[in-house]
Amino acid sequence: MILEIERPLLELESKIEELRKLSTDGRVDLSVEIKALEQKVEDLKKDIYSNLSAWDKVQIARHNGRPTTGDYVEAMFSDFFELRGDRRARNDLAILAGIGVIGGRTVAVIGHQKGKNTKDNLKHNFGMGSPEGFRKAGRVMDMAARFGFPIICFIDTPGAYPGKEAEEKGQYEAIAGNILKMMSLRTPIICMVIGEGGSGGAFAIGVGDHIIMLENSIYSVISPEGCATILWRDATRASEAAKALRITSDSLLKIGLVDEVIPEPEGGAHRHPEEVFSRVKESLIRNLGELCSIPGEEMPKRRYEKYRKMGVFKEENG
Amino acid sequence: MSEAKEKPEELWVKCQSCGVPVFRKTFIENMLVCDKCDHHHKMPARMRAEILFDEGTFEEWDENITSVNPLEFADDYEEKLEKDKVKTGLKDAILTGHGKIEGYPVSMGIMEFGFRGGSMGSVVGEKVIRLLEKASEKGMPAVIITASGGARMQEGMYSLMQLAKTNAGVLRMEEARLPYITVLTDPTTAGVAASYASVADIILAEPKAIIGFSGRRVIEQTIRQKLPADFQTSEFYLEHGFIDAVVHRHKLRKTLARLLAMFNGK
Ligand SMILES: [Zn+2]
């Protein structure tokens, strides 16, 4: 998958690669030309990545090469044991859950799992959770709280699955139940938006003590396409909607709905995943250290205060 | 919907379901329920308060909290808010307060679909949590009558956060061991369904209300098939185990009084 914004960059890079091949044959010295092109690449990068629009970020956040929950787990945890099924009906592969070890600490991990290609995506239903997935997440959260394990949630979903069975099985109740649960748990919860934070389906595992977003991830109450359809009956105006909804990490940090933003290496997480894993791991270990020093029974009170304040309104007298 | 208020000069109103004209006076006496087909029309929040509470007992809370445009959302959001204020006589999509039902003290939130489709933004969230906080402090049961298409898009992520904020209020009621009852009316979908509407001790619904998370059209587009007519109705969710009872509007006051009496007599 090639993003429109990175196409000129990728073209330049492949040209450099070609020249290098010619150079190593030893017949011609192209070092001057290569150097010039490399400078051009740097300039172009600066130009592209310092001016990303909200819509550009939507594309980066949805990139199918972007690391998924499973990739983070594999790269950052010294051990991980997957926990499957909701103990009621089914194992929803749109949600990955388990216990793992990071920085010497046992934690519960819950995340939306997207696929890398079409086949993989069909298996994981594009990371769109069903009630069974959210209820699996819920039972793992309960277990974590019982043993005092902190919970780490990786958010990466277009939204909750809009399917027939999902509605029959109470999609809305599954989401509401998790939100209520997460408000009350006596263990730290860290939520990390790694790609798409799609509305209720994201928020079903999104209530926590420390909310982190990767720089190019997005978090929104409605998809830009959905918003554009409602406002202008025209889904192609999604880029305008993306801007109006303030769904980027910097704007959400500014209004205080997000606590931390992790900068991505130039070009986005899909271009340098290893670097991203190490930054995310550093942040998680630091935040776990801080939150785990707070007594468990304080956590629901702190969370209450945190969410109690969210919202902007005006109160007129009389 | 609120024809009764909009065109008071007309003697007849047309049922929105069967199309049969109903004598206005009868329609209002019937609590906006069609006497031919039993369709429950959407009811303005203030009218509902009048019908449910013992006469003269209702006292409003937090009536002066009003929306701002926190994201400076570019469509004519502020204009729409002003229009709906005039239309509904409310400052946002919920009326809250307390009163008595057959003598039992109860706090109540009544959502107003006529105000921005009952959408939940910062004001609805704040009024719901204040309602539940006050109820838990005063040791009063709480009832919320929902009517909402979901979160308010124009307030972006602030709206999504209200799902947690309102549920925090529900948690207060749980901790205080006070009964929390919801009545889902047409429609109760998306963000409101996925928060305080569905985590109550007792969940009632009016007949044939549309309830659910995703919209019918989105589901049909996703699965590429037509959904049955009764999909996502009160009766559908009663059958699937998500609602305790479907209660006719004419019996709602009596039903609430019975429940309040039972919780009171523990
Ligand atoms: Zn009728």
Side-chain angles (χ1 to χ4, degrees), chain A residues 85-125:
Chain A
D86 62 349
R87 301 287 197 259
R88 297 285 182 276
R90 193 170 71 97
N91 183 34
D92 179 7
L93 295 177
I95 303 282
L96 176 71
I99 47 174
V101 179
I102 185 167
R105 207 186 287 274
T106 304
V107 303
V109 182
I110 295 160
H112 304 96
Q113 184 62 50
K114 281 189 181 179
K116 298 276 186 191
N117 50 50
T118 310
K119 194 176 149 227
D120 208 19
N121 255 324
L122 289 174
K123 180 173 143 198
H124 294 290
N125 206 16

Side-chain angles (χ1 to χ4, degrees), chain B:
Chain B
M1 207 185 317
S2 50
E3 306 91 333
K5 285 196 168 165
E6 280 163 17
K7 291 181 207 153
E9 71 283 359
E10 279 177 30
L11 280 173
W12 299 84
V13 285
K14 218 178 191 183
C15 170
Q16 283 176 356
S17 179
C18 70
V20 171
V22 190
F23 195 44
R24 173 176 300 278
K25 198 164 161 270
T26 317
F27 185 59
I28 292 171
E29 278 166 5
N30 268 333
M31 306 180 182
L32 315 190
V33 175
C34 174
D35 59 355
K36 301 292 185 302
C37 74
D38 210 38
H39 179 68
H40 286 50
H41 291 76
K42 294 183 177 73
M43 178 174 258
R46 290 207 186 276
M47 189 186 281
R48 187 153 328 242
E50 251 168 63
I51 285 165
L52 287 177
F53 286 103
D54 298 348
E55 212 183 323
T57 64
F58 180 70
E59 249 178 75
E60 192 172 346
W61 281 334
D62 304 311
E63 66 266 40
N64 292 317
I65 304 181
T66 149
S67 289
V68 294
N69 185 4
L71 303 184
E72 291 164 352
F73 204 85
D75 90 323
D76 43 357
Y77 180 43
E78 281 149 294
E79 228 171 87
K80 287 173 179 168
L81 289 171
E82 290 311 312
K83 226 191 246 170
D84 286 355
K85 281 182 197 174
V86 175
K87 186 171 93 180
T88 63
L90 290 173
K91 294 204 168 131
D92 213 281
I94 192 167
L95 168 70
T96 60
H98 69 115
K100 284 180 178 167
I101 295 181
E102 296 198 353
Y104 296 103
V106 61
S107 59
M108 195 180 288
I110 307 175
M111 296 193 77
E112 171 64 65
F113 187 78
F115 197 107
R116 301 280 82 223
S119 59
M120 172 164 64
S122 300
V123 174
V124 170
E126 181 70 18
K127 287 183 80 167
V128 167
I129 197 169
R130 285 197 195 181
L131 167 77
L132 298 173
E133 281 174 344
K134 279 179 194 158
S136 57
E137 280 157 23
K138 293 175 195 293
M140 237 190 262
V143 174
I144 299 185
I145 299 178
T146 59
S148 171
R152 190 169 295 169
M153 194 172 68
Q154 290 91 340
E155 292 188 25
M157 281 294 285
Y158 283 116
S159 297
L160 192 63
M161 294 303 120
Q162 305 311 310
L163 276 67
K165 183 167 169 174
T166 52
N167 272 6
V170 176
L171 212 55
R172 276 283 156 96
M173 293 297 285
E174 283 187 7
E175 285 159 3
R177 297 186 189 200
L178 289 162
Y180 169 53
I181 300 169
T182 52
V183 183
L184 317 189
T185 75
D186 186 50
T188 297
T189 57
V192 168
S195 58
Y196 58 94
S198 58
V199 289
D201 296 305
I202 294 180
I203 303 173
L204 310 176
E206 285 198 336
K208 300 208 168 88
I210 295 299
I211 297 162
F213 186 68
S214 301
R216 187 186 189 89
R217 226 174 322 152
V218 176
I219 301 169
E220 287 184 334
Q221 278 167 9
T222 307
I223 63 172
R224 295 194 187 125
Q225 46 173 291
K226 281 265 166 220
L227 293 164
D230 72 336
F231 193 70
Q232 295 181 312
T233 57
S234 311
E235 293 74 12
F236 171 90
Y237 278 114
L238 179 72
E239 190 188 317
H240 285 281
F242 293 94
I243 284 168
D244 292 294
V246 174
V247 180
H248 195 283
R249 193 175 286 165
H250 293 166
K251 293 188 175 150
L252 184 57
R253 179 177 145 88
K254 257 274 164 307
T255 305
L256 290 175
R258 273 174 64 204
L259 291 170
L260 292 172
M262 281 191 265
F263 279 105
N264 200 48
K266 66 186 169 199

Side-chain angles (χ1 to χ4, degrees), chain A residues 123-234:
Chain A
K123 180 173 143 198
H124 294 290
N125 206 16
F126 299 85
M128 296 187 287
S130 287
E132 298 94 319
F134 297 133
R135 289 178 183 131
K136 165 170 72 176
R139 75 145 175 117
V140 172
M141 289 177 200
D142 280 333
M143 188 198 75
R146 205 156 58 242
F147 293 99
F149 301 151
I151 300 167
I152 298 171
C153 296
F154 293 103
I155 294 171
D156 189 17
T157 180
Y161 181 54
K164 187 166 180 263
E165 281 190 22
E167 291 293 313
E168 279 167 3
K169 289 174 176 159
Q171 185 71 288
Y172 68 87
E173 191 275 345
I175 295 170
N178 274 13
I179 293 171
L180 187 69
K181 189 190 295 296
M182 295 180 96
M183 285 302 310
S184 71
L185 290 178
R186 297 176 172 215
T187 196
I189 307 171
I190 299 173
C191 302
M192 170 91 67
V193 188
I194 55 174
E196 262 184 294
S199 195
F203 206 46
I205 58 167
V207 180
D209 305 296
H210 193 75
I211 315 298
I212 307 166
M213 282 179 82
L214 287 190
E215 183 184 356
N216 295 318
S217 66
I218 53 163
Y219 205 172
S220 183
V221 71
I222 184 170
S223 72
E225 290 88 348
C227 177
T229 304
I230 292 173
L231 279 188
W232 307 300
R233 306 197 181 284
D234 183 1

